[in-house]
Amino acid sequence: MKIKKYEDNLIIQKRNEIYFLPFLEILYVERFGNSTIIHTEEEEITIRFSLHGLIDLLPSCFMRSHKSYIVNIRRVKQMKVLRGDSTTYEAFFNHEKSALITKENVSLLVK
């Protein structure tokens, strides 16, 4: 598998498929076990690539928001404190999708 940045797109080449993902269509990226899942409004693309490596390919509107998440800040609609955990927020996007953001990263956004 190969992943590279080309203009305003992330190009993901898997064995039999090539994805051209405009950066603005990516809501967030989630690490789950040994897999990384790229979430858009319409699909989820599973790859084997580290968040650390992926964040270097993404533009500045993406933030490593949590140990398991990268969030496209431009696509966040709302954030709420996670129930029972005052150190973590849940960021909401369209279509009931959500990702986690640490309190420290929320502080960077709302200075």
Side-chain angles (χ1 to χ4, degrees):
M1 177 177 51
K2 295 179 184 178
I3 299 178
K4 70 179 192 173
K5 175 180 177 178
Y6 179 74
E7 294 183 0
D8 293 333
N9 295 284
L10 189 64
I11 300 173
I12 302 168
Q13 181 178 356
K14 294 173 96 174
R15 285 187 178 158
N16 300 320
E17 301 169 298
I18 299 175
Y19 295 91
F20 294 85
L21 290 177
F23 291 127
L24 288 179
E25 286 186 14
I26 299 171
L27 300 175
Y28 64 97
V29 182
E30 174 185 17
R31 186 72 180 176
F32 188 76
N34 291 329
S35 297
T36 298
I37 305 165
I38 300 172
H39 295 264
T40 69
E41 287 186 12
E42 301 192 8
E43 64 185 326
E44 296 176 356
I45 301 166
T46 302
I47 59 174
R48 290 204 180 260
F49 204 79
S50 72
L51 292 182
H52 179 74
L54 196 55
I55 194 73
D56 292 336
L57 297 173
L58 298 171
S60 62
C61 61
F62 287 85
M63 166 190 269
R64 180 75 183 261
S65 63
H66 182 273
K67 67 179 181 178
S68 300
Y69 290 92
I70 296 172
V71 172
N72 184 346
I73 298 305
R74 292 183 180 168
R75 300 300 304 271
V76 173
K77 300 296 181 194
Q78 180 183 20
M79 288 187 279
K80 291 183 181 179
V81 173
L82 198 60
R83 190 180 320 182
D85 182 1
S86 63
T87 64
T88 307
Y89 284 70
E90 190 170 8
F92 293 93
F93 306 88
N94 290 339
H95 306 292
E96 300 180 8
K97 291 191 174 207
S98 66
L100 299 179
I101 299 181
T102 63
K103 186 176 183 177
E104 293 82 18
N105 284 320
V106 169
S107 297
L108 293 173
L109 294 174
V110 294
K111 279 185 186 180

